[in-house]
């Protein structure tokens, strides 16, 4: 039995067999082949197998259909296969080396061509090379989950989650990843227990080992002995009892003991979560991360599909309260295949509105779809991510005006009074929130990014997660400034970062003046329960005290003491 400690990022206790998936680079042995005939056969077998995989893909669009056709023609390309065969026969390279050398030559030529089209084909050829090397080295592209299992991996991109059958994933253990990384957010939204930042768990676990995880405590145990298995079972039963007790509060109002209403809304990543939102008794959708749709559905050019999804959400959720569509926050770790770029600093790079304003075709389609949904419910709101200041916001607002004018011309109905908001998640926007507030109807603070950029600490990097301190005095001051700016300009300020869903931070947030918090559905019950135990007056005094403290640790200690007492 081996016990490992990591970051508990998605609650739940689970024990099951493990399926291991590593992205490890395939090491290509640069050794001469002993038997060239066998190497040629290996190559031909790999080609057949890749072609079978390609044939089994089910294209969901014309673009996917043409991509599959390109891949097939590349694998079968007579010049490419002749070069690999020549590398084996004449240079006596083994099959892996022969593929690497042939693909490397073609990729170099395509990349040097200066044409966008050929550079994209170089990317296709890289995929084919990886696929062939995987086949030749006996590795899987993605694990096949034939039975419900715990997925153990080195890391996982949100887009990769969609390659897997998530209904078969009972739990997730990763070597890397932080609490507010998007894979963690997705795990919470899919209600899959997850422990991240476990160091080398993907090397310690073998396929078929039993793994027990506690997604709250951040513990993973490999092949638990009887005592550990009993401990996990007891904790699981206790958690189930606690959840049942919380469910009883689903219909109670979210109000402090001295009568201040705190509106609790949900963050969603797709329509699958709507049921949990309804069960939680949330008062609307504070954040719909629409980009997650684009990671697993061919959606960019399909305004009909987008329109259908947005309208469905507006129709079902509009009765509860606001339904906030955040425009695509693509880029960073949320990479749609079509928009893949090589960047040194993707988190500071071409993402969110920056990307959308450069790809107005994609942006326009999305804006029209959101506008269409606004005709169905006055609750629909639009919100822009990663706004860095007033000028950038103005450009985006002007583009929205252009698209509205187009809609009017074409007779597309929309709500002329649809509320427009912006995320405040870049420090420059937080500092100038008083200026930004003049241009919008509401602001919503994205603490996941705001903390990352304020403290310069990558939110997805577990190695420096000790620096990721939501209670850092700099963060508290920014939060206070944004809330005060909203109040002085008469517009609401909410919070939709993960900090909003942690019951322990609630006294600080209420004390700073937040009246609307948006979180994943499974946090709502616990947070509502906590709201009902707090008085606004004592939270306000607490926030004043915390704002006067010099260090994150002193703020954390003070809050811990407050939470212990109430
Ligand atoms: C945030 O940054 O806090 C936020 C809500 O957006 P995301 O987590 O999608 O970056
Ligand atoms: Mg963000």
């Amino acid at each position: 039995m081996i016990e490992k400690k990591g970051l508990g990022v998605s609650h739940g206790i689970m024990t099951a067999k493990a399926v291991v998936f590593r992205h490890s680079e395939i090491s290509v042995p640069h050794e001469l082949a002993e038997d060239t005939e066998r190497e040629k056969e290996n190559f031909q077998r790999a080609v057949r197998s890749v072609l079978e995989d390609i044939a089994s893909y089910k294209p969901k669009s014309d673009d996917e259909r043409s991509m599959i056709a390109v891949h097939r023609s590349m694998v079968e390309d007579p010049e490419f296969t002749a070069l690999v065969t020549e590398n084996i026969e004449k240079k006596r390279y083994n099959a892996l080396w022969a593929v690497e050398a042939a693909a490397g030559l073609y990729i170099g030529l395509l990349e040097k061509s200066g044409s966008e089209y050929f550079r994209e084909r170089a990317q296709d050829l890289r995929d084919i090379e990886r696929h062939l090397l995987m086949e030749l080295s006996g590795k899987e592209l993605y694990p096949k989950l034939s039975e419900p299992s715990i997925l153990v991996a080195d890391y996982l991109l949100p887009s990769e989650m969609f390659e897997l059958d998530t209904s078969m994933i009972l739990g997730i253990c990763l070597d890397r990843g932080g609490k507010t990384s998007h894979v963690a957010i997705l795990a919470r939204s899919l209600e899959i227990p997850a422990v991240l930042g476990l160091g080398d768990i993907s090397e310690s676990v073998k396929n078929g080992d039993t793994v027990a995880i506690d997604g709250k405590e951040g513990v993973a145990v490999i092949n638990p002995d009887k005592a550990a298995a009993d401990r996990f079972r007891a904790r699981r039963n206790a958690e189930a009892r606690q959840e049942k007790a919380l469910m009883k509060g689903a219909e109670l109002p979210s109000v402090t003991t001295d009568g201040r209403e705190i509106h609790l809304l949900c963050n969603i990543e797709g329509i699958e979560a709507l049921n949990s939102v309804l069960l939680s008794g949330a008062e609307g959708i504070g954040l719909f991360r629409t980009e997650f749709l684009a990671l697993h559905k061919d959606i960019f050019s399909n305004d009909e599909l987008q329109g259908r999804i947005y309208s469905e959400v507006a129709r079902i959720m509009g009765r509860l309260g606001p339904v906030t569509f955040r425009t695509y926050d693509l880029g960073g770790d949320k990479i749609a295949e079509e928009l893949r770029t090589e960047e040194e600093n993707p988190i500071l790079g071409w993402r969110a509105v920056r990307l959308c304003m450069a790809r107005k075709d994609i942006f326009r389609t999305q804006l029209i779809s959101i506008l269409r949904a606004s005709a169905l419910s006055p609750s629909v709101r639009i919100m822009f991510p990663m706004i860095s200041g007033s000028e950038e916001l103005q450009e985006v607002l002007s583009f929205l005006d252009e698209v509205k004018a187009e809609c009017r011309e074409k007779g597309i109905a929309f709500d002329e009074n649809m509320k427009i908001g912006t995320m405040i998640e870049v420090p420059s926007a937080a500092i100038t929130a008083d200026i930004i507030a003049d241009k919008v109807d509401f602001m919503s603070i994205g603490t996941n990014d705001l903390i990352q950029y304020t403290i310069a600490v990558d939110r997805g990097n577990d190695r420096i997660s000790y620096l990721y301190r939501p209670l850092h005095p700099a963060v508290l001051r920014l939060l206070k400034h944004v809330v005060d700016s909203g109040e002085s300009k008469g517009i609401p300020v909410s919070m939709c970062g993960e900090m909003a869903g942690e019951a322990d931070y609630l006294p600080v947030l209420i004390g700073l003046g937040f009246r609307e918090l948006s979180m994943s559905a499974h946090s709502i019950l616990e947070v509502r329960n906590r709201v009902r135990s707090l008085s606004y007056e004592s939270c306000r005094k607490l926030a004043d005290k915390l704002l006067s403290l010099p260090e994150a640790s002193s703020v954390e200690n003070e809050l811990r003491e407050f939470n212990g007492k109430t």
Side-chain angles (χ1 to χ4, degrees), residues 326 329 425 449 459:
R326 178 176 75 179
D329 182 11
E425 52 184 343
D449 279 318
R459 62 194 259 194

Side-chain angles (χ1 to χ4, degrees), residues 182 185 287 289 326 334 425 446-449 459 496-497:
H182 286 102
I185 290 171
L287 168 65
R289 291 184 165 95
R326 178 176 75 179
K334 292 178 284 193
E425 52 184 343
T447 45
N448 306 337
D449 279 318
R459 62 194 259 194
C496 61

Side-chain angles (χ1 to χ4, degrees), residues 63-74:
D63 281 352
E64 264 184 46
R65 209 165 286 113
S66 62
M67 195 247 336
I68 288 171
V70 168
H71 279 206
R72 189 183 307 113
S73 67
M74 280 180 167

Side-chain angles (χ1 to χ4, degrees), residues 122-195:
Q123 194 53 45
D124 287 328
L125 189 50
R126 260 201 201 95
D127 275 358
I128 295 294
E129 179 195 12
R130 181 159 177 260
H131 206 155
L132 281 169
L133 294 179
M134 287 281 184
E135 287 296 338
L136 284 165
S137 60
K139 292 195 170 154
E140 299 274 8
L141 262 185
Y142 292 108
K144 292 196 177 51
L145 295 158
S146 47
E147 57 176 322
S149 319
I150 291 195
L151 180 68
V152 178
D154 43 358
Y155 65 91
L156 212 54
L157 295 173
S159 54
E160 290 175 328
M161 289 274 275
F162 298 119
E163 298 285 340
L164 303 163
D165 179 357
T166 48
S167 68
M168 290 286 186
I169 305 179
L170 296 179
I172 296 175
C173 292
L174 302 183
D175 293 351
R176 293 186 244 155
K179 201 162 184 164
T180 59
S181 60
H182 286 102
V183 70
I185 290 171
L186 210 49
R188 281 196 285 279
S189 149
L190 295 168
E191 298 181 15
I192 301 175
V195 184

